[in-house]
Amino acid sequence: MKILVYSLLATVWSLHSYAQQPTHGSVYDLYTQTPIKGAGLYSNGKLLSSTDISGRFAVDCSNCTVTITAMGYESQTITVKNSSTQLMIGLTAASYNLNEVKVYAGKSGINLQQPKSVAVLTHQDLHRNDGLFLENSLNLVPGVRMEKRTMSGGQRITIRGYGNSTNFNGTGYKAYLNGIPVTDAEGTTILDDIDFSILGKVEVIKGPASSLYGSGIGGVLKMYTLKPATYGTRISQEALAGSYGLFRTNTRVEYADEKSAVMLNYGHQNYDSYRIQSGSKKDFVSFIGDFHSNDRQTFSVYAAYNNSNDQLAGQLDSIQFAQRKDTGEVPYLKNKGYVAFESYRAGLSHNYQFSTHVNNQTSAWFTGYKQSQAFAVGLSSNLSQNIGARTAFGLNFTGKTITLSGAIGAELQKTNSFKKSYGLSNNITGALTGDIELSAMQYNIFTQWELKLPQGFIVTAGVGNNYIEYGITDRLTNSANPAHKDQSGHKTFTPVLTPQLSVLKSLNEKVSVYAGISKGYSPPTSGQVVIPQISQVNTGLRPEKSIQYEAGAKGTLLQKKLSFQVAVFDMEITDKLTSQAVTDNTDTVLYTMTTNAGGQQNRGIEAEAAYTIQPVQPKIFSLIRPFVSYTYSSFIYKQFRSDNNNNTKTIDYSGNKASGVPPQLLNAGVDFISKWGVYLNTTWQFVDKMPITYDNRHYADAYTLLQAKLGYRHAIGQHFQLDVFAGGNNLTGSRYYTMVFLNANFSGAAPNIYLPGPYKATWYGGFNLNYKF
């Protein structure tokens, strides 16, 4: 009998112990999937647990409400049930968190332990305007300029004056979307098919980051789509309408629990445009999913389909632009110019925490697009497929006074594309003029380490080894075209080592200073590698290289109400690429080729500050936040010539200002939030006049832009959340451009180079309605 009683007691005790086992899990960055160390879990004001270096925790709590807080992140409150033995909690960066060391104060993130100038835009920053056009937010970041050729495409981004060597799309920087490269293996970035309206976070690394990300002297643009931030099911409907036929909708379904978070979004966008022959239509479908099998590993999935069509009217000359003409180039209008994209992206990422010391993140992706473009003198049809993978092992070793952490990894990307071109006149397709198959491959091996020392010192060092290879096959070379010059060729560039080193010193918990040096490179495109007129590979061509020296300070002052960041830099660029004419004995131009013709020195200052007032007991405003940012650029050509012919026609541009870079940029604004939910965002921008030709004889005029957005955000009952808003852009009716074609030939008639913005104020209004089950 005693044995039976003891057995029953043991069984009851074991069941009780099982039922009372502590809840465990992890806290991580919702967008980057990296663990968050030092996050606190509170219940009724009492600290239950803090996360370790792997973001893991354990709490002894059942049927209780727990609030999770971390430096620089929005807090999240969840209910821990008896069955909740594992919790995966993702946090998003906060916009107005002034009580922590890391500050994300509404415009750009400030990480006091990051020895580099990095800007972070949150979802609130991206929607301080209409939220549809990324340039409205990105151009508020010091040292960054985004221009566009069409109403919603053909974007060119320059970072610290680098990336303006082309008038079509982007070069010189690396772009990612949810960890998937948008930049192909050839180094070209096309943003026409990116749905900016559902971005939840954007990060810009300024200057060379080749030790971790491969090619790109300008820097890195990392974009992340929205993800469910709270547990539960939510349905959202967003709609916006505005001037010139602007119309946008998003229909979204979200679900999140302790083991998964998924989101499905469909968006439709239409814009008739303020210019002749410049309408835009886009459709987007996106799926995002994070799945946690346990607190050690996470699988992430991203898939998207996009269909985009933007009409092309061509450019205006300086006289037409000055007179605010609504016209276009006749050949574009006759050919009904357009650029159309149909694209898809799919990627899978796996994060695994082997121990507190070792983790791994591995991603693989497959992307592709079909492009058709009708322009002034032709029709192009391109088909591209891109595959790649990236893996990185994270290592952490923590001592009593010294901490060493680092990453070792590799990234490989291959692009196969088929490029056809035809003659086009009066919208009638002509003969086939080009048929190219391109195989481009880039891969890099990298490692980077961070050593935390006593007295607030952090030393960061890394190096990457980067490889580039092009293979070109000309399918137009056949017996039917005996006069056609073969453009086939193969080029393997010498591997490029790109090291970086920096030292950071925390003066106290509020302010840090840093200094560093980094090396970067950008490869030529495939079209520059082959000289078709003589059927030869341009074997002497070298990638552009740079060395950047940077020093800066960042932090918070005045009881953490004032956040600031300032950086000075000197970027030395060598082996700059330019076109060169090849002539005969009579100086007749036979053909042109690309050559390395000199260098450029970019020196600049970037500064930003924001002051936030948050009354403890607000009477009218719960937040008032003025901000300002300033960029000064002294960028000059250094031993840079028009070509390497070294004859009487060679022009030396040394000492001239770099074209396409405004010497000064100034942004300012004030944000208001009332205690009743009414909010107002205002922004004023000044863009200095800038040289647009190598010889500095021609400038684009300076301009200012004033923008404002007024809204009302309020919860309706326990399930509905409503946000209604209205706003305007270019409220003062300034004459400004969305892009200028650089280094055009002004020897004859005024060239067509300006893409104008709206000549008068434009308006928009809309709503966001959420229902949470």
Side-chain angles (χ1 to χ4, degrees), residues 485-496:
K485 294 292 185 179
D486 191 359
Q487 299 185 44
S488 302
H490 188 273
K491 171 71 174 178
T492 300
F493 290 92
T494 302
V496 179

Side-chain angles (χ1 to χ4, degrees), residues 89 150 254 332 346 440 443 492 631 679 696 698:
I89 304 167
T150 67
E254 304 175 27
Y332 277 93
Y443 57 99
T492 300
T631 305
Y679 62 90
N696 290 178
H698 304 277

Side-chain angles (χ1 to χ4, degrees), residues 22-95:
T23 298
H24 63 279
S26 295
V27 180
Y28 60 96
D29 186 294
L30 189 64
Y31 293 107
T32 65
Q33 299 293 308
T34 55
I36 299 175
K37 177 186 176 183
L41 286 83
Y42 296 85
S43 181
N44 296 322
K46 179 182 179 182
L47 178 64
L48 302 180
S49 178
S50 297
T51 57
D52 61 17
I53 194 172
S54 301
R56 302 174 70 186
F57 67 87
V59 293
D60 190 2
C61 176
S62 61
N63 289 325
C64 61
T65 300
V66 175
T67 300
I68 303 94
T69 64
M71 293 188 303
Y73 290 89
E74 298 280 3
S75 62
Q76 185 176 160
T77 300
I78 63 174
T79 299
V80 179
K81 301 178 180 179
N82 287 330
S83 58
S84 301
T85 58
Q86 173 190 317
L87 294 174
M88 300 299 294
I89 304 167
L91 301 182
T92 59
S95 289

Side-chain angles (χ1 to χ4, degrees), residues 115-118 160 206-208 501-502 514-518 548-552 554 565-570 606:
K116 200 173 182 67
S117 182
V118 178
R160 291 186 168 172
K206 304 176 193 177
L501 175 66
S502 62
Y514 67 91
I517 179 174
S518 58
Q548 176 181 268
Y549 306 89
E550 179 180 344
K554 57 182 74 175
Q565 187 168 202
V566 60
V568 295
F569 64 90
D570 182 352
E606 299 163 355

Side-chain angles (χ1 to χ4, degrees), residues 150-447:
T150 67
M151 295 305 100
S152 192
Q155 291 90 346
R156 176 177 66 195
I157 297 177
T158 58
I159 305 175
R160 291 186 168 172
Y162 191 86
N164 58 4
S165 60
T166 177
N167 294 318
F168 304 95
N169 299 313
T171 60
Y173 70 97
K174 192 76 169 285
Y176 291 86
L177 177 63
N178 288 347
I180 300 175
V182 178
T183 306
D184 63 21
E186 196 177 346
T188 302
T189 303
I190 299 175
L191 301 176
D192 291 54
D193 59 338
I194 303 297
D195 188 356
F196 299 127
S197 73
I198 63 167
L199 293 181
K201 178 181 178 181
V202 171
E203 181 178 335
V204 183
I205 303 174
K206 304 176 193 177
S210 297
S211 61
L212 281 179
Y213 298 103
S215 65
I217 289 176
V220 181
L221 174 69
K222 299 168 72 174
M223 300 173 287
Y224 302 90
T225 55
L226 282 171
K227 292 186 177 183
T230 58
Y231 285 3
T233 302
R234 185 167 62 177
I235 298 176
S236 302
Q237 180 60 57
E238 303 174 354
L240 180 148
S243 303
Y244 302 107
L246 177 62
F247 180 70
R248 171 71 197 221
T249 64
N250 276 323
T251 303
R252 184 162 56 250
V253 179
E254 304 175 27
Y255 172 79
D257 59 22
E258 61 268 18
K259 289 190 176 182
S260 62
V262 296
M263 186 189 83
L264 179 64
N265 185 86
Y266 166 69
H268 171 73
Q269 185 171 312
N270 182 83
Y271 192 20
D272 296 336
S273 175
Y274 51 87
R275 281 195 72 196
I276 185 175
Q277 180 65 29
S278 295
S280 173
K281 292 182 180 180
K282 296 179 182 291
D283 288 280
F284 307 96
V285 180
S286 301
F287 173 80
I288 301 98
D290 294 330
F291 305 95
H292 316 285
S293 56
N294 53 58
D295 60 356
R296 288 185 177 271
Q297 63 179 334
T298 300
F299 291 92
S300 298
V301 178
Y302 173 64
Y305 169 81
N306 312 283
N307 199 318
S308 169
N309 188 298
D310 284 83
Q311 295 177 320
L312 297 173
Q315 294 73 242
L316 304 182
D317 62 32
S318 56
I319 298 176
Q320 293 170 329
F321 181 57
Q323 296 177 349
R324 300 178 177 236
K325 295 289 187 180
D326 179 16
T327 184
E329 296 184 68
V330 174
Y332 277 93
L333 301 180
K334 288 185 175 181
N335 284 341
K336 297 182 179 179
Y338 69 90
V339 55
F341 277 91
E342 186 177 13
S343 68
Y344 53 86
R345 286 185 174 84
L348 175 65
S349 179
H350 177 238
N351 294 273
Y352 192 83
Q353 189 76 39
F354 292 96
S355 68
T356 57
H357 302 295
V358 183
N359 65 81
N360 174 264
Q361 180 172 341
T362 298
S363 302
W365 57 82
F366 180 64
T367 67
Y369 67 80
K370 178 183 178 182
Q371 178 202 29
S372 178
Q373 180 172 342
F375 50 98
V377 294
L379 173 69
S380 64
S381 180
N382 300 332
L383 188 67
S384 179
Q385 294 181 341
N386 187 63
I387 59 172
R390 179 183 176 94
T391 186
F393 285 90
L395 304 171
N396 296 281
F397 305 98
T398 303
K400 292 183 179 180
T401 58
I402 297 177
T403 299
L404 178 65
S405 59
I408 301 174
E411 178 178 311
L412 182 145
Q413 185 172 207
K414 185 174 183 180
T415 300
N416 294 315
S417 57
F418 303 86
K419 303 181 179 183
K420 293 180 180 289
S421 57
Y422 304 84
L424 186 67
S425 179
N426 295 322
N427 204 28
I428 299 175
T429 305
L432 182 68
T433 57
D435 191 354
I436 296 293
E437 292 183 13
L438 168 67
S439 177
M441 184 167 66
Q442 288 195 30
Y443 57 99
N444 65 305
I445 303 169
F446 58 85
T447 183

